[in-house]
């Protein structure tokens, strides 16, 4: 079974803090994704990575950055957290670049509250 | 602006009834349409998916109907059970997009009453 784990289930931070969200997958997947989930908006792609040290912007990258130093680990960074970044953050991974219809496997999510 | 529009936002159905969720899209380049199911406290998980070369796909009690000319697709849950209570997301992606990026709908919360 594919397992995607996220470092925290709940996180509370203050405005202006630097925030790190960590994601690890154990199935040697090529692709990793970060989404945010908000009521009425569904899942929106923030960033994704198709290889170590490679990254691409998604639909809402503003205010975020990412890091992928190892294949299994993908980090989302909020350089200076703001209240409008309060949300549920979901990490996902998928197998291969050559199969665009590959299933995305999601972690359980991190609910981030920025005060 | 959401590229995939999903409705209804929520629905309540009695046990044994049929749940129907509809999605519409504009981008004719989309050619892969998965549905994801999310239980409270969990991440979404792939439920069923369809390519536009077929008009219907069935897996157990779950059926996707696809209307290419109308640019619409829908999920039918037959004989709905309380264990089906979850949030359902439709999604779409382009096969030419090798990154497999998905555009998700807003989600439908389904509650199945006993």
């Amino acid at each position: 079974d594919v397992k995607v784990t996220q470092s925290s289930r709940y996180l509370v931070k203050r405005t202006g803090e630097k925030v790190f969200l960590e994601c690890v997958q154990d199935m040697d997947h090529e692709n990793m994704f970060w989404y945010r989930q908000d009521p009425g908006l569904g899942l929106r792609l923030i960033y994704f990575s198709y290889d170590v040290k490679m990254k691409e912007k998604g639909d809402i990258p503003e205010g975020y950055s990412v890091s992928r130093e190892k294949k299994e680990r993908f980090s989302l960074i909020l350089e200076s957290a703001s209240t409008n970044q309060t949300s549920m953050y979901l990490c996902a991974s998928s197998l291969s670049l050559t199969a665009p219809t590959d299933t995305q496997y999601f972690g359980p999510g991190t609910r981030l509250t920025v005060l | 602006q959401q590229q995939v529009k999903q409705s209804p936002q929520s629905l309540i159905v009695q046990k044994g009834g049929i749940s129907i969720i509809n999605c519409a899209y504009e981008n004719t380049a989309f050619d892969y349409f998965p549905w994801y199911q999310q239980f409270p406290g969990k991440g979404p998980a792939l439920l069923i998916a369809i390519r536009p070369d077929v008009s219907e796909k069935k897996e157990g009690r779950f059926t996707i109907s696809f209307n290419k000319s109308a640019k619409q697709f829908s999920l039918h849950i037959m004989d709905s059970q309380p264990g089906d209570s979850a949030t359902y997301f439709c999604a779409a992606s382009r096969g030419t997009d090798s990154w497999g990026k998905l555009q998700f709908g807003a989600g439908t919360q389904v509650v199945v009453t006993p």
Side-chain angles (χ1 to χ4, degrees), chain A residues 9 31 33 35 37-38 40-43 45 48 50 56-57 59 90 94 96-98 100-109, chain B residues 2-3 9 31-32 36 38 41-46 51 87 89 93-107:
Chain A
R9 294 301 303 272
N31 302 333
F33 307 81
Y35 295 88
Q37 180 178 2
D38 299 288
L41 295 176
L43 281 69
L45 182 64
F48 66 101
Y50 51 91
E56 291 284 341
K57 292 180 180 179
D59 298 318
L90 290 163
S94 66
S96 169
L97 284 177
T98 59
T101 59
D102 272 349
T103 299
Q104 290 190 20
Y105 294 88
F106 285 84
Chain B
Q2 270 185 309
Q3 296 192 36
Q9 189 172 357
D31 62 359
Y32 175 64
Y36 280 76
Q38 183 180 30
K42 305 285 188 183
L46 180 67
R51 300 298 295 267
T87 299
F89 294 95
S93 70
R94 297 177 295 155
T96 53
D97 178 352
S98 61
W99 316 125
K101 288 187 296 180
L102 291 170
Q103 294 290 336
F104 283 88

Side-chain angles (χ1 to χ4, degrees), chain B residues 26-100:
Chain B
E26 287 298 324
N27 189 344
T28 55
F30 287 149
D31 62 359
Y32 175 64
F33 303 91
W35 286 86
Y36 280 76
Q37 179 188 53
Q38 183 180 30
F39 293 106
K42 305 285 188 183
L46 180 67
L47 180 64
I48 187 173
I50 197 168
R51 300 298 295 267
D53 50 347
V54 296
S55 60
E56 187 175 281
K57 183 173 181 180
K58 184 175 181 179
E59 289 184 4
R61 295 182 294 105
F62 299 89
T63 300
I64 300 178
S65 297
F66 186 82
N67 185 330
K68 189 174 181 178
S69 60
K71 293 183 284 186
Q72 294 176 348
F73 58 111
S74 60
L75 177 70
H76 291 63
I77 307 173
M78 313 300 287
D79 185 27
S80 297
Q81 300 296 312
D84 298 331
S85 297
T87 299
Y88 294 81
F89 294 95
C90 61
S93 70
R94 297 177 295 155
T96 53
D97 178 352
S98 61
W99 316 125

Side-chain angles (χ1 to χ4, degrees), chain A residues 23-71:
Chain A
C23 175
V24 177
Q25 51 94 3
D26 67 356
M27 284 301 291
D28 202 34
H29 282 179
E30 301 283 348
N31 302 333
M32 296 188 75
F33 307 81
W34 274 108
Y35 295 88
R36 62 177 283 175
Q37 180 178 2
D38 299 288
L41 295 176
L43 281 69
R44 293 179 292 166
L45 182 64
I46 304 172
Y47 266 97
F48 66 101
S49 168
Y50 51 91
D51 200 352
V52 175
K53 296 192 187 295
M54 306 304 289
K55 61 186 179 185
E56 291 284 341
K57 292 180 180 179
D59 298 318
I60 52 164
E62 297 77 18
Y64 304 94
S65 62
V66 290
S67 172
R68 193 168 180 199
E69 297 295 321
K70 293 185 177 181
K71 190 175 186 179

